Amino acid sequence: MIAKEAFAVVHSHLTLAKRREAWRRCHAGDIRLAIGSRSALFYPLQNLGLIVVDEEHEWTYKNEQSPRYHAVKVGEQIGLGLGLGKKVKLVLGSATPSVESWH
């Protein structure tokens, strides 16, 4: 039997039911790739091995609503193994990197 798509596209314009279904499928291990906005970092992917943050210098990665967080910093913490127990590769992509990344 061939499973449904092994990827999920997640963003704030999905209905609550579609977001819940994507979260459930990630948690169950049916999803191998999640593509999305900063909230995609919080989806419970099984066997996470790589996080890619494209255009990491963009201000939109900073969530100004509660809870406040910076998606790049969350990605760094996940990459260090905090919360997962294993290290995950983090790739920051940008033609014009932020000062923090450049340093």
Side-chain angles (χ1 to χ4, degrees):
M1 177 180 206
I2 299 175
K4 288 192 217 178
E5 300 95 20
F7 69 92
V9 178
V10 294
H11 52 80
S12 62
H13 292 298
L14 292 177
T15 64
L16 183 58
K18 288 188 179 193
R19 276 187 273 169
R20 187 179 307 125
E21 177 64 11
W23 193 96
R24 186 200 62 74
R25 290 187 62 219
C26 285
H27 188 264
D30 297 336
I31 300 297
R32 300 189 63 205
L33 172 67
I35 302 169
S37 60
R38 61 183 177 235
S39 63
L41 285 167
F42 300 106
Y43 276 66
L45 286 167
Q46 304 297 318
N47 300 315
L48 182 63
L50 176 67
I51 298 170
V52 178
V53 180
D54 192 27
E55 300 299 332
E56 60 87 18
H57 64 277
E58 290 289 328
W59 64 269
T60 54
Y61 285 113
K62 293 180 181 179
N63 190 37
E64 297 297 328
Q65 300 170 342
S66 185
R68 295 179 191 277
Y69 65 92
H70 189 300
V72 174
K73 299 297 181 194
V74 171
E76 289 172 352
Q77 294 302 303
I78 293 170
L80 292 172
L82 302 179
L84 293 176
K86 70 171 194 162
K87 291 188 176 185
V88 176
K89 290 181 176 83
L90 174 66
V91 175
L92 301 177
S94 179
T96 54
S98 66
V99 173
E100 295 90 353
S101 295
W102 184 262
H103 184 265

